[in-house]
Amino acid sequence: MSKRQLLSSPSLGTTARASSVLKRNTKLYGPMNALDTTDEVSCWNSDAVPSGTSSSDAGPITFTIHFGPNRTVEIDEIRIQFQGGFVAEECTACLSRGGGEDWEEMEEPIEPEDVNHMQTFAIADADRTCNMLRLSFEGSSDFYGRVTIYKLEVWGSEL
């Protein structure tokens, strides 16, 4: 097993996609912006939930990280920096070992606070190996159901 490192760096071939992007403007608000550790102001921003729908009734917003087709990792920690006021009320993490066909929900809860600073979530599940990670965000502290992430880092080791 190799040493602990930042697994979610785009320079390692990691990619991200999201079920929702503000105004479908992936250049300004796309999910890859949240993985960019060099730009302090870039972010991923989900769009508002449809009019007449509450954020809890709209279903989850998903953010999926693909570590690469031939890359298996073991996750130790997930770090997320939300924009305060645009924080997911509930977050579920799921792992895929088969390229996104089968997902297994992680036992460790991710319970974000409505704050601006980087939050760290240790992962202690027995089996944390995967090639994809999906975060599902339910509800939001924002009235319109939006979620904004400035930084999303996944730490662990290559297998």
Side-chain angles (χ1 to χ4, degrees):
M1 185 184 305
S2 62
K3 66 179 182 171
R4 187 170 188 272
Q5 66 182 23
L6 176 63
L7 300 171
S8 54
S9 174
S11 66
L12 298 173
T14 301
T15 59
R17 66 178 193 263
S19 62
S20 174
V21 175
L22 182 64
K23 299 180 184 176
R24 296 185 185 167
N25 187 337
T26 57
K27 182 174 175 141
L28 285 177
Y29 306 114
M32 289 297 290
N33 292 340
L35 302 184
D36 185 354
T37 58
T38 63
D39 188 346
E40 293 298 315
V41 297
S42 69
C43 66
W44 164 68
N45 197 336
S46 72
D47 217 339
V49 297
S51 181
T53 308
S54 74
S55 60
S56 58
D57 292 337
I61 298 168
T62 59
F63 189 105
T64 305
I65 298 173
H66 187 225
F67 296 103
N70 300 314
R71 198 168 157 228
T72 302
V73 301
E74 182 175 63
I75 297 173
D76 294 334
E77 189 174 87
I78 299 170
R79 299 178 186 174
I80 306 174
Q81 181 183 6
F82 290 95
Q83 178 176 329
F86 296 85
V87 177
E89 293 174 340
E90 294 181 30
C91 179
T92 303
C94 296
L95 304 175
S96 175
R97 295 170 189 86
E101 296 188 21
D102 294 317
W103 293 95
E104 182 180 321
E105 188 173 325
M106 296 176 69
E107 296 171 18
E108 201 66 36
I110 295 179
E111 299 172 337
E113 296 177 33
D114 192 356
V115 295
N116 291 320
H117 65 271
M118 183 74 84
Q119 299 178 59
T120 302
F121 306 97
I123 307 300
D125 288 41
D127 188 359
R128 304 165 300 201
T129 60
C130 65
N131 63 0
M132 295 179 79
L133 168 69
R134 182 179 66 205
L135 300 173
S136 297
F137 302 114
E138 299 243 16
S140 171
S141 58
D142 173 52
F143 178 77
Y144 298 103
R146 297 168 293 190
V147 174
T148 301
I149 295 178
Y150 280 97
K151 297 286 171 257
L152 197 157
E153 299 176 356
V154 180
W155 288 82
S157 51
E158 301 260 357
L159 297 181

